[in-house]
């Protein structure tokens, strides 16, 4: 099924989850590589443009993910989770949703306020317009810090999320991870 059920995630949720996870991992690595001081300037320009393109892709998928999350039912929690575990899971998921939106938006703000005034090319197909923010070194520094802090915070929550899923799979042996890997309603 495409939609979430009472006890299972639908394929849309599963695909959005893993696509965004892969994008986040790739963007963190690319963000690190492109800011290395020893990178050739021509390559660095291309890496920044790729980072922006994949960042805008992540933003688009995150908006779809949030709308899908709001419009869809949420499967019941896996049996055996305490009230505290359910609450912690809910809070981490909300933080992940918020950060997956905030990180690309702060990146967009950073690109928009840069005094270099370099356009953001989306995979060399279209130019993404800048946000209506004042270009200044102070604004650029603010958004650079915000983008970096939120990106590393997101990476931390992703690691926490992954560690919890692996704990549930290998230690507790429950269905927390498995139900985000496949839709059991399609299993034969």
């Amino acid at each position: 099924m495409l939609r979430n059920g009472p006890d299972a995630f639908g394929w849309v949720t599963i695909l959005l989850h893993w696509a965004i996870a892969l994008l986040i991992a790739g963007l963190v690595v690319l963000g690190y590589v492109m800011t290395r001081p020893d990178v050739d300037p021509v390559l660095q320009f291309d890496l920044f443009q790729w980072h922006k393109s994949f960042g805008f892709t992540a933003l688009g998928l995150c908006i779809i993910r949030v709308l899908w999350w709001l419009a869809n039912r949420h499967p019941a929690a896996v049996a055996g989770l305490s009230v505290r575990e359910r609450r912690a899971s809910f809070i981490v998921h909300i933080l992940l949703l918020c950060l997956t939106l905030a990180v690309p938006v702060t990146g967009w703000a950073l690109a928009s306020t840069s005094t270099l005034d370099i356009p953001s090319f989306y995979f060399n197909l279209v130019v993404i317009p800048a946000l209506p923010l004042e270009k200044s070194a102070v604004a650029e520094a603010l958004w650079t810090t915000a983008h970096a802090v939120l990106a590393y915070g997101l990476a931390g929550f992703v690691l926490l999320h992954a560690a919890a899923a692996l704990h549930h799979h290998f230690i507790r042996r429950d269905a927390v991870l498995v139900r985000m890997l496949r839709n059991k309603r399609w299993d034969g």
Side-chain angles (χ1 to χ4, degrees), residues 34 164-165:
M34 71 187 199

Side-chain angles (χ1 to χ4, degrees), residues 141-176:
L142 170 80
W143 290 112
T144 298
T145 301
H147 186 62
V149 167
L150 292 174
Y152 287 120
L154 175 59
F157 277 109
V158 166
L159 290 175
L160 175 68
H161 179 67
L166 293 172
H167 170 79
H168 279 278
H169 187 72
F170 290 110
I171 306 298
R172 294 182 65 173
R173 299 193 182 277
D174 59 25
V176 167

Side-chain angles (χ1 to χ4, degrees), residues 8-40:
F9 291 105
W11 283 112
V12 173
T13 299
I14 293 170
L15 291 173
L16 285 169
H17 175 273
W18 290 108
I20 292 167
L22 287 172
L23 280 168
I24 289 169
L27 283 163
V28 168
V29 170
L30 187 54
Y32 174 77
V33 170
M34 71 187 199
T35 57
R36 306 275 304 151
D38 55 341
V39 175
D40 174 68

Side-chain angles (χ1 to χ4, degrees), residues 54-66:
F54 284 115
F56 283 118
T57 302
L59 178 59
L61 288 177
C62 292
I63 290 169
I64 293 168
R65 174 73 174 100
V66 168

Side-chain angles (χ1 to χ4, degrees), residues 35-103:
T35 57
R36 306 275 304 151
D38 55 341
V39 175
D40 174 68
V42 174
L43 174 61
Q44 189 175 45
F45 177 84
D46 290 340
L47 293 176
F48 267 87
Q49 290 301 330
W50 280 97
H51 185 80
K52 289 188 228 180
S53 294
F54 284 115
F56 283 118
T57 302
L59 178 59
L61 288 177
C62 292
I63 290 169
I64 293 168
R65 174 73 174 100
V66 168
L67 294 173
W68 187 255
W69 186 82
L70 291 170
N72 235 303
R73 76 179 353 162
H74 305 285
V78 171
L81 294 182
S82 69
V83 172
R84 186 173 7 164
E85 289 172 316
R86 290 175 194 205
R87 189 173 297 133
S89 172
F90 179 78
I91 290 168
V92 169
H93 281 96
I94 293 297
L95 285 170
L96 284 169
L97 286 173
C98 291
L99 286 169
T100 56
L101 290 170
V103 171

